[in-house]
Amino acid sequence: MPRKGGRDSSQDRDVERVLDELYATAPPQFVSRREELAARARTDGRAEDARRIRAARRPTLAAWAANLLLHSQPTESRRFLELGRELREAYRALDAAEIKELSRQRTSVVSALSRQAATLARDAGHRLSDAAQQDVASTLRAVLADEDAADQWATGRLESTLTPPSDFPSGTESAPKARAAAPAARRARRERSEPGKERKDELAERRRQKQEKRAREAREAAQAADRRLGERRAEQEDADASLQQARDRHDQARQRVCDAEDELQRAKRDQKDAEREQKEAEKRSRAAADAAAEAERAAREAAEESERLRQELD
């Protein structure tokens, strides 16, 4: 049922999909594509959608690459956002062990996703400069460190590079600062006595749940990889079977061509023999016709001579 104002949820979803597509468009084509989509919305009578589309601003090359990464790799992007939530929570709780583990993951994941974004951009026809790649990495670090930045990237519609907050330690600084903060936190927890023990147990339980979650995700990823491997092997077997069938058909067709060529050669030889025999028969026919004409002439002359002699006797 349409909502107030004459719009329904499907129209909202349509314009959201259009905006997602627009921000996945490379910056050099962004403006022309924006105008095309806005004009289409106006033609369809969707003035509000046209206004929203027209208000979209062209992203920088690095921001576009970050958007492209989110749209092209949804599973990895969700895991990256979850890593950021866990890391921010660990810093708030001053959980040194969790900070150390998550910071180690952060360094490798940011590096891997930055390279992946550069690869996606290159495949789309736009190579990122070193500075642009650094901007992508800065955006990803900001996503891990700042909830607002994470929310912005999660929309897939960044317009410019995000910068991580200065008060969020880098990967190399996180463990020492956490270790320095840990004794004070432990003292505070001891002073709070039993509530502090409950907090410690809560952190331990939270770590255990996160470890179980990561282990479960790893198992699921391994199972999914095994399924994909099985599917690829089945596809390969089907392809090999199809290839063998094609080879067999090719060999059969080639044999038929060879047979047809042999038959053609025999037919050509038979044709030549028939032409030669026809010529000889035509020659014999002409000779027989000449002989018949000569015999007819001789017979006529003999008859005439016979008639002449009979008349003389009379």
PDB file of all heavy atoms in Angstrom, residues 77-108:
ATOM      1  N   SER A  77      33.378  -7.469   3.495  1.00  0.00           N
ATOM      2  CA  SER A  77      33.066  -6.152   4.066  1.00  0.00           C
ATOM      3  C   SER A  77      32.320  -6.293   5.390  1.00  0.00           C
ATOM      4  O   SER A  77      32.592  -5.567   6.347  1.00  0.00           O
ATOM      5  CB  SER A  77      32.230  -5.336   3.073  1.00  0.00           C
ATOM      6  OG  SER A  77      32.957  -5.106   1.883  1.00  0.00           O
ATOM      7  N   ARG A  78      31.366  -7.238   5.458  1.00  0.00           N
ATOM      8  CA  ARG A  78      30.647  -7.449   6.725  1.00  0.00           C
ATOM      9  C   ARG A  78      31.605  -7.903   7.822  1.00  0.00           C
ATOM     10  O   ARG A  78      31.510  -7.449   8.972  1.00  0.00           O
ATOM     11  CB  ARG A  78      29.533  -8.489   6.522  1.00  0.00           C
ATOM     12  CG  ARG A  78      28.321  -7.949   5.788  1.00  0.00           C
ATOM     13  CD  ARG A  78      27.137  -8.907   5.946  1.00  0.00           C
ATOM     14  NE  ARG A  78      27.426 -10.214   5.390  1.00  0.00           N
ATOM     15  CZ  ARG A  78      27.202 -10.546   4.119  1.00  0.00           C
ATOM     16  NH1 ARG A  78      26.694  -9.666   3.283  1.00  0.00           N
ATOM     17  NH2 ARG A  78      27.460 -11.762   3.684  1.00  0.00           N
ATOM     18  N   ARG A  79      32.531  -8.796   7.471  1.00  0.00           N
ATOM     19  CA  ARG A  79      33.505  -9.259   8.472  1.00  0.00           C
ATOM     20  C   ARG A  79      34.405  -8.110   8.923  1.00  0.00           C
ATOM     21  O   ARG A  79      34.778  -8.028  10.096  1.00  0.00           O
ATOM     22  CB  ARG A  79      34.335 -10.393   7.887  1.00  0.00           C
ATOM     23  CG  ARG A  79      33.541 -11.686   7.682  1.00  0.00           C
ATOM     24  CD  ARG A  79      34.383 -12.736   7.017  1.00  0.00           C
ATOM     25  NE  ARG A  79      33.637 -13.976   6.822  1.00  0.00           N
ATOM     26  CZ  ARG A  79      34.066 -15.006   6.098  1.00  0.00           C
ATOM     27  NH1 ARG A  79      35.249 -14.945   5.508  1.00  0.00           N
ATOM     28  NH2 ARG A  79      33.333 -16.089   5.970  1.00  0.00           N
ATOM     29  N   PHE A  80      34.752  -7.225   7.976  1.00  0.00           N
ATOM     30  CA  PHE A  80      35.603  -6.094   8.318  1.00  0.00           C
ATOM     31  C   PHE A  80      34.875  -5.146   9.271  1.00  0.00           C
ATOM     32  O   PHE A  80      35.458  -4.653  10.238  1.00  0.00           O
ATOM     33  CB  PHE A  80      36.004  -5.366   7.033  1.00  0.00           C
ATOM     34  CG  PHE A  80      37.018  -4.284   7.237  1.00  0.00           C
ATOM     35  CD1 PHE A  80      38.328  -4.593   7.582  1.00  0.00           C
ATOM     36  CD2 PHE A  80      36.672  -2.949   7.098  1.00  0.00           C
ATOM     37  CE1 PHE A  80      39.274  -3.595   7.776  1.00  0.00           C
ATOM     38  CE2 PHE A  80      37.604  -1.947   7.291  1.00  0.00           C
ATOM     39  CZ  PHE A  80      38.906  -2.275   7.635  1.00  0.00           C
ATOM     40  N   LEU A  81      33.621  -4.885   9.011  1.00  0.00           N
ATOM     41  CA  LEU A  81      32.838  -4.030   9.913  1.00  0.00           C
ATOM     42  C   LEU A  81      32.708  -4.673  11.294  1.00  0.00           C
ATOM     43  O   LEU A  81      32.767  -3.972  12.324  1.00  0.00           O
ATOM     44  CB  LEU A  81      31.452  -3.783   9.313  1.00  0.00           C
ATOM     45  CG  LEU A  81      31.420  -2.863   8.076  1.00  0.00           C
ATOM     46  CD1 LEU A  81      30.055  -2.930   7.401  1.00  0.00           C
ATOM     47  CD2 LEU A  81      31.756  -1.437   8.461  1.00  0.00           C
ATOM     48  N   GLU A  82      32.536  -5.999  11.325  1.00  0.00           N
ATOM     49  CA  GLU A  82      32.459  -6.699  12.614  1.00  0.00           C
ATOM     50  C   GLU A  82      33.789  -6.606  13.361  1.00  0.00           C
ATOM     51  O   GLU A  82      33.814  -6.424  14.584  1.00  0.00           O
ATOM     52  CB  GLU A  82      32.081  -8.161  12.377  1.00  0.00           C
ATOM     53  CG  GLU A  82      32.027  -9.013  13.642  1.00  0.00           C
ATOM     54  CD  GLU A  82      30.972  -8.542  14.620  1.00  0.00           C
ATOM     55  OE1 GLU A  82      29.992  -7.891  14.187  1.00  0.00           O
ATOM     56  OE2 GLU A  82      31.125  -8.808  15.831  1.00  0.00           O
ATOM     57  N   LEU A  83      34.905  -6.710  12.631  1.00  0.00           N
ATOM     58  CA  LEU A  83      36.218  -6.565  13.251  1.00  0.00           C
ATOM     59  C   LEU A  83      36.343  -5.184  13.889  1.00  0.00           C
ATOM     60  O   LEU A  83      36.866  -5.047  15.006  1.00  0.00           O
ATOM     61  CB  LEU A  83      37.324  -6.764  12.210  1.00  0.00           C
ATOM     62  CG  LEU A  83      38.759  -6.497  12.677  1.00  0.00           C
ATOM     63  CD1 LEU A  83      39.161  -7.446  13.802  1.00  0.00           C
ATOM     64  CD2 LEU A  83      39.737  -6.609  11.505  1.00  0.00           C
ATOM     65  N   GLY A  84      35.859  -4.151  13.198  1.00  0.00           N
ATOM     66  CA  GLY A  84      35.907  -2.798  13.762  1.00  0.00           C
ATOM     67  C   GLY A  84      35.090  -2.694  15.036  1.00  0.00           C
ATOM     68  O   GLY A  84      35.542  -2.074  16.013  1.00  0.00           O
ATOM     69  N   ARG A  85      33.898  -3.281  15.053  1.00  0.00           N
ATOM     70  CA  ARG A  85      33.078  -3.234  16.273  1.00  0.00           C
ATOM     71  C   ARG A  85      33.782  -3.927  17.434  1.00  0.00           C
ATOM     72  O   ARG A  85      33.791  -3.432  18.566  1.00  0.00           O
ATOM     73  CB  ARG A  85      31.718  -3.890  16.000  1.00  0.00           C
ATOM     74  CG  ARG A  85      30.770  -3.019  15.192  1.00  0.00           C
ATOM     75  CD  ARG A  85      29.364  -3.593  15.178  1.00  0.00           C
ATOM     76  NE  ARG A  85      29.295  -4.806  14.378  1.00  0.00           N
ATOM     77  CZ  ARG A  85      29.026  -4.824  13.082  1.00  0.00           C
ATOM     78  NH1 ARG A  85      28.800  -3.682  12.436  1.00  0.00           N
ATOM     79  NH2 ARG A  85      28.946  -5.968  12.418  1.00  0.00           N
ATOM     80  N   GLU A  86      34.382  -5.076  17.146  1.00  0.00           N
ATOM     81  CA  GLU A  86      35.081  -5.810  18.205  1.00  0.00           C
ATOM     82  C   GLU A  86      36.288  -5.026  18.713  1.00  0.00           C
ATOM     83  O   GLU A  86      36.569  -4.986  19.919  1.00  0.00           O
ATOM     84  CB  GLU A  86      35.519  -7.177  17.679  1.00  0.00           C
ATOM     85  CG  GLU A  86      34.355  -8.118  17.372  1.00  0.00           C
ATOM     86  CD  GLU A  86      34.835  -9.435  16.786  1.00  0.00           C
ATOM     87  OE1 GLU A  86      36.053  -9.557  16.516  1.00  0.00           O
ATOM     88  OE2 GLU A  86      34.001 -10.336  16.586  1.00  0.00           O
ATOM     89  N   LEU A  87      37.006  -4.389  17.794  1.00  0.00           N
ATOM     90  CA  LEU A  87      38.202  -3.637  18.179  1.00  0.00           C
ATOM     91  C   LEU A  87      37.832  -2.418  19.032  1.00  0.00           C
ATOM     92  O   LEU A  87      38.461  -2.155  20.076  1.00  0.00           O
ATOM     93  CB  LEU A  87      38.953  -3.198  16.928  1.00  0.00           C
ATOM     94  CG  LEU A  87      40.339  -2.572  17.124  1.00  0.00           C
ATOM     95  CD1 LEU A  87      41.268  -3.513  17.868  1.00  0.00           C
ATOM     96  CD2 LEU A  87      40.936  -2.185  15.778  1.00  0.00           C
ATOM     97  N   ARG A  88      36.798  -1.699  18.630  1.00  0.00           N
ATOM     98  CA  ARG A  88      36.382  -0.523  19.407  1.00  0.00           C
ATOM     99  C   ARG A  88      35.877  -0.944  20.792  1.00  0.00           C
ATOM    100  O   ARG A  88      36.148  -0.282  21.799  1.00  0.00           O
ATOM    101  CB  ARG A  88      35.287   0.244  18.644  1.00  0.00           C
ATOM    102  CG  ARG A  88      35.798   0.898  17.370  1.00  0.00           C
ATOM    103  CD  ARG A  88      34.772   1.848  16.777  1.00  0.00           C
ATOM    104  NE  ARG A  88      33.533   1.189  16.377  1.00  0.00           N
ATOM    105  CZ  ARG A  88      33.325   0.634  15.191  1.00  0.00           C
ATOM    106  NH1 ARG A  88      34.297   0.629  14.279  1.00  0.00           N
ATOM    107  NH2 ARG A  88      32.156   0.083  14.892  1.00  0.00           N
ATOM    108  N   GLU A  89      35.182  -2.066  20.844  1.00  0.00           N
ATOM    109  CA  GLU A  89      34.686  -2.560  22.126  1.00  0.00           C
ATOM    110  C   GLU A  89      35.838  -2.967  23.032  1.00  0.00           C
ATOM    111  O   GLU A  89      35.823  -2.723  24.249  1.00  0.00           O
ATOM    112  CB  GLU A  89      33.746  -3.747  21.884  1.00  0.00           C
ATOM    113  CG  GLU A  89      33.095  -4.275  23.158  1.00  0.00           C
ATOM    114  CD  GLU A  89      32.133  -5.414  22.876  1.00  0.00           C
ATOM    115  OE1 GLU A  89      31.699  -5.552  21.712  1.00  0.00           O
ATOM    116  OE2 GLU A  89      31.827  -6.173  23.812  1.00  0.00           O
ATOM    117  N   ALA A  90      36.864  -3.606  22.438  1.00  0.00           N
ATOM    118  CA  ALA A  90      38.019  -4.027  23.223  1.00  0.00           C
ATOM    119  C   ALA A  90      38.739  -2.818  23.812  1.00  0.00           C
ATOM    120  O   ALA A  90      39.196  -2.848  24.964  1.00  0.00           O
ATOM    121  CB  ALA A  90      38.975  -4.847  22.352  1.00  0.00           C
ATOM    122  N   TYR A  91      38.861  -1.730  23.058  1.00  0.00           N
ATOM    123  CA  TYR A  91      39.510  -0.527  23.581  1.00  0.00           C
ATOM    124  C   TYR A  91      38.685   0.103  24.695  1.00  0.00           C
ATOM    125  O   TYR A  91      39.223   0.603  25.684  1.00  0.00           O
ATOM    126  CB  TYR A  91      39.756   0.475  22.453  1.00  0.00           C
ATOM    127  CG  TYR A  91      41.076   0.263  21.781  1.00  0.00           C
ATOM    128  CD1 TYR A  91      41.155  -0.380  20.548  1.00  0.00           C
ATOM    129  CD2 TYR A  91      42.262   0.678  22.386  1.00  0.00           C
ATOM    130  CE1 TYR A  91      42.363  -0.597  19.927  1.00  0.00           C
ATOM    131  CE2 TYR A  91      43.493   0.469  21.777  1.00  0.00           C
ATOM    132  CZ  TYR A  91      43.536  -0.175  20.541  1.00  0.00           C
ATOM    133  OH  TYR A  91      44.731  -0.389  19.952  1.00  0.00           O
ATOM    134  N   ARG A  92      37.366   0.087  24.520  1.00  0.00           N
ATOM    135  CA  ARG A  92      36.534   0.650  25.579  1.00  0.00           C
ATOM    136  C   ARG A  92      36.650  -0.158  26.873  1.00  0.00           C
ATOM    137  O   ARG A  92      36.615   0.377  27.963  1.00  0.00           O
ATOM    138  CB  ARG A  92      35.063   0.694  25.110  1.00  0.00           C
ATOM    139  CG  ARG A  92      34.767   1.799  24.123  1.00  0.00           C
ATOM    140  CD  ARG A  92      33.257   1.994  23.974  1.00  0.00           C
ATOM    141  NE  ARG A  92      32.624   0.832  23.383  1.00  0.00           N
ATOM    142  CZ  ARG A  92      32.429   0.671  22.070  1.00  0.00           C
ATOM    143  NH1 ARG A  92      32.839   1.624  21.236  1.00  0.00           N
ATOM    144  NH2 ARG A  92      31.822  -0.399  21.610  1.00  0.00           N
ATOM    145  N   ALA A  93      36.827  -1.482  26.719  1.00  0.00           N
ATOM    146  CA  ALA A  93      36.920  -2.353  27.893  1.00  0.00           C
ATOM    147  C   ALA A  93      38.353  -2.504  28.394  1.00  0.00           C
ATOM    148  O   ALA A  93      38.584  -3.166  29.405  1.00  0.00           O
ATOM    149  CB  ALA A  93      36.345  -3.732  27.545  1.00  0.00           C
ATOM    150  N   LEU A  94      39.324  -1.904  27.676  1.00  0.00           N
ATOM    151  CA  LEU A  94      40.736  -2.041  28.024  1.00  0.00           C
ATOM    152  C   LEU A  94      41.130  -3.524  28.139  1.00  0.00           C
ATOM    153  O   LEU A  94      41.846  -3.931  29.051  1.00  0.00           O
ATOM    154  CB  LEU A  94      41.048  -1.309  29.340  1.00  0.00           C
ATOM    155  CG  LEU A  94      40.893   0.211  29.302  1.00  0.00           C
ATOM    156  CD1 LEU A  94      41.151   0.795  30.686  1.00  0.00           C
ATOM    157  CD2 LEU A  94      41.841   0.823  28.281  1.00  0.00           C
ATOM    158  N   ASP A  95      40.667  -4.306  27.186  1.00  0.00           N
ATOM    159  CA  ASP A  95      40.963  -5.747  27.156  1.00  0.00           C
ATOM    160  C   ASP A  95      42.256  -5.930  26.360  1.00  0.00           C
ATOM    161  O   ASP A  95      42.259  -6.004  25.131  1.00  0.00           O
ATOM    162  CB  ASP A  95      39.800  -6.493  26.492  1.00  0.00           C
ATOM    163  CG  ASP A  95      39.962  -8.000  26.616  1.00  0.00           C
ATOM    164  OD1 ASP A  95      41.099  -8.454  26.821  1.00  0.00           O
ATOM    165  OD2 ASP A  95      38.949  -8.707  26.500  1.00  0.00           O
ATOM    166  N   ALA A  96      43.392  -6.015  27.067  1.00  0.00           N
ATOM    167  CA  ALA A  96      44.699  -6.021  26.410  1.00  0.00           C
ATOM    168  C   ALA A  96      44.873  -7.211  25.477  1.00  0.00           C
ATOM    169  O   ALA A  96      45.389  -7.067  24.356  1.00  0.00           O
ATOM    170  CB  ALA A  96      45.805  -6.023  27.469  1.00  0.00           C
ATOM    171  N   ALA A  97      44.464  -8.402  25.919  1.00  0.00           N
ATOM    172  CA  ALA A  97      44.638  -9.597  25.087  1.00  0.00           C
ATOM    173  C   ALA A  97      43.826  -9.487  23.808  1.00  0.00           C
ATOM    174  O   ALA A  97      44.307  -9.807  22.711  1.00  0.00           O
ATOM    175  CB  ALA A  97      44.235 -10.848  25.876  1.00  0.00           C
ATOM    176  N   GLU A  98      42.588  -9.011  23.954  1.00  0.00           N
ATOM    177  CA  GLU A  98      41.733  -8.870  22.774  1.00  0.00           C
ATOM    178  C   GLU A  98      42.259  -7.781  21.856  1.00  0.00           C
ATOM    179  O   GLU A  98      42.245  -7.921  20.629  1.00  0.00           O
ATOM    180  CB  GLU A  98      40.300  -8.551  23.218  1.00  0.00           C
ATOM    181  CG  GLU A  98      39.283  -8.561  22.100  1.00  0.00           C
ATOM    182  CD  GLU A  98      38.914  -9.959  21.647  1.00  0.00           C
ATOM    183  OE1 GLU A  98      39.508 -10.936  22.154  1.00  0.00           O
ATOM    184  OE2 GLU A  98      38.043 -10.078  20.777  1.00  0.00           O
ATOM    185  N   ILE A  99      42.752  -6.688  22.418  1.00  0.00           N
ATOM    186  CA  ILE A  99      43.312  -5.599  21.613  1.00  0.00           C
ATOM    187  C   ILE A  99      44.500  -6.100  20.798  1.00  0.00           C
ATOM    188  O   ILE A  99      44.627  -5.802  19.598  1.00  0.00           O
ATOM    189  CB  ILE A  99      43.739  -4.430  22.515  1.00  0.00           C
ATOM    190  CG1 ILE A  99      42.505  -3.745  23.097  1.00  0.00           C
ATOM    191  CG2 ILE A  99      44.586  -3.416  21.734  1.00  0.00           C
ATOM    192  CD1 ILE A  99      42.820  -2.701  24.143  1.00  0.00           C
ATOM    193  N   LYS A 100      45.377  -6.874  21.431  1.00  0.00           N
ATOM    194  CA  LYS A 100      46.554  -7.375  20.741  1.00  0.00           C
ATOM    195  C   LYS A 100      46.163  -8.264  19.569  1.00  0.00           C
ATOM    196  O   LYS A 100      46.695  -8.129  18.465  1.00  0.00           O
ATOM    197  CB  LYS A 100      47.436  -8.153  21.728  1.00  0.00           C
ATOM    198  CG  LYS A 100      48.711  -8.693  21.095  1.00  0.00           C
ATOM    199  CD  LYS A 100      49.568  -9.408  22.139  1.00  0.00           C
ATOM    200  CE  LYS A 100      50.855  -9.940  21.512  1.00  0.00           C
ATOM    201  NZ  LYS A 100      51.693 -10.635  22.512  1.00  0.00           N
ATOM    202  N   GLU A 101      45.223  -9.172  19.802  1.00  0.00           N
ATOM    203  CA  GLU A 101      44.806 -10.088  18.748  1.00  0.00           C
ATOM    204  C   GLU A 101      44.118  -9.344  17.612  1.00  0.00           C
ATOM    205  O   GLU A 101      44.404  -9.559  16.424  1.00  0.00           O
ATOM    206  CB  GLU A 101      43.857 -11.149  19.328  1.00  0.00           C
ATOM    207  CG  GLU A 101      43.178 -12.040  18.302  1.00  0.00           C
ATOM    208  CD  GLU A 101      44.156 -12.849  17.475  1.00  0.00           C
ATOM    209  OE1 GLU A 101      45.298 -13.062  17.933  1.00  0.00           O
ATOM    210  OE2 GLU A 101      43.785 -13.247  16.363  1.00  0.00           O
ATOM    211  N   LEU A 102      43.202  -8.440  17.957  1.00  0.00           N
ATOM    212  CA  LEU A 102      42.453  -7.723  16.929  1.00  0.00           C
ATOM    213  C   LEU A 102      43.339  -6.737  16.163  1.00  0.00           C
ATOM    214  O   LEU A 102      43.156  -6.529  14.966  1.00  0.00           O
ATOM    215  CB  LEU A 102      41.268  -6.992  17.562  1.00  0.00           C
ATOM    216  CG  LEU A 102      40.181  -7.896  18.157  1.00  0.00           C
ATOM    217  CD1 LEU A 102      39.119  -7.059  18.859  1.00  0.00           C
ATOM    218  CD2 LEU A 102      39.537  -8.761  17.081  1.00  0.00           C
ATOM    219  N   SER A 103      44.299  -6.122  16.852  1.00  0.00           N
ATOM    220  CA  SER A 103      45.212  -5.199  16.175  1.00  0.00           C
ATOM    221  C   SER A 103      46.077  -5.939  15.160  1.00  0.00           C
ATOM    222  O   SER A 103      46.387  -5.412  14.087  1.00  0.00           O
ATOM    223  CB  SER A 103      46.101  -4.481  17.202  1.00  0.00           C
ATOM    224  OG  SER A 103      45.310  -3.677  18.051  1.00  0.00           O
ATOM    225  N   ARG A 104      46.479  -7.164  15.530  1.00  0.00           N
ATOM    226  CA  ARG A 104      47.244  -7.977  14.566  1.00  0.00           C
ATOM    227  C   ARG A 104      46.399  -8.255  13.327  1.00  0.00           C
ATOM    228  O   ARG A 104      46.876  -8.156  12.196  1.00  0.00           O
ATOM    229  CB  ARG A 104      47.661  -9.292  15.231  1.00  0.00           C
ATOM    230  CG  ARG A 104      48.523 -10.181  14.338  1.00  0.00           C
ATOM    231  CD  ARG A 104      48.763 -11.523  14.998  1.00  0.00           C
ATOM    232  NE  ARG A 104      47.512 -12.237  15.239  1.00  0.00           N
ATOM    233  CZ  ARG A 104      46.854 -12.902  14.271  1.00  0.00           C
ATOM    234  NH1 ARG A 104      47.312 -12.923  13.046  1.00  0.00           N
ATOM    235  NH2 ARG A 104      45.726 -13.529  14.567  1.00  0.00           N
ATOM    236  N   GLN A 105      45.142  -8.577  13.529  1.00  0.00           N
ATOM    237  CA  GLN A 105      44.245  -8.812  12.400  1.00  0.00           C
ATOM    238  C   GLN A 105      44.052  -7.531  11.585  1.00  0.00           C
ATOM    239  O   GLN A 105      44.013  -7.561  10.348  1.00  0.00           O
ATOM    240  CB  GLN A 105      42.884  -9.301  12.891  1.00  0.00           C
ATOM    241  CG  GLN A 105      42.900 -10.678  13.543  1.00  0.00           C
ATOM    242  CD  GLN A 105      41.501 -11.098  13.954  1.00  0.00           C
ATOM    243  OE1 GLN A 105      40.544 -10.853  13.249  1.00  0.00           O
ATOM    244  NE2 GLN A 105      41.403 -11.727  15.116  1.00  0.00           N
ATOM    245  N   ARG A 106      43.943  -6.401  12.295  1.00  0.00           N
ATOM    246  CA  ARG A 106      43.683  -5.136  11.613  1.00  0.00           C
ATOM    247  C   ARG A 106      44.765  -4.830  10.585  1.00  0.00           C
ATOM    248  O   ARG A 106      44.459  -4.475   9.433  1.00  0.00           O
ATOM    249  CB  ARG A 106      43.611  -3.999  12.635  1.00  0.00           C
ATOM    250  CG  ARG A 106      43.522  -2.621  11.982  1.00  0.00           C
ATOM    251  CD  ARG A 106      43.390  -1.518  12.999  1.00  0.00           C
ATOM    252  NE  ARG A 106      44.509  -1.478  13.931  1.00  0.00           N
ATOM    253  CZ  ARG A 106      44.625  -0.585  14.919  1.00  0.00           C
ATOM    254  NH1 ARG A 106      43.653   0.302  15.105  1.00  0.00           N
ATOM    255  NH2 ARG A 106      45.656  -0.607  15.720  1.00  0.00           N
ATOM    256  N   THR A 107      46.016  -4.991  10.964  1.00  0.00           N
ATOM    257  CA  THR A 107      47.107  -4.651  10.054  1.00  0.00           C
ATOM    258  C   THR A 107      47.042  -5.470   8.772  1.00  0.00           C
ATOM    259  O   THR A 107      47.140  -4.935   7.663  1.00  0.00           O
ATOM    260  CB  THR A 107      48.459  -4.883  10.746  1.00  0.00           C
ATOM    261  OG1 THR A 107      48.520  -4.073  11.923  1.00  0.00           O
ATOM    262  CG2 THR A 107      49.610  -4.533   9.823  1.00  0.00           C
ATOM    263  N   SER A 108      46.859  -6.776   8.920  1.00  0.00           N
ATOM    264  CA  SER A 108      46.849  -7.644   7.738  1.00  0.00           C
ATOM    265  C   SER A 108      45.590  -7.441   6.906  1.00  0.00           C
ATOM    266  O   SER A 108      45.647  -7.423   5.672  1.00  0.00           O
ATOM    267  CB  SER A 108      46.965  -9.111   8.159  1.00  0.00           C
ATOM    268  OG  SER A 108      45.885  -9.480   9.000  1.00  0.00           O
TER     269      SER A 108
END
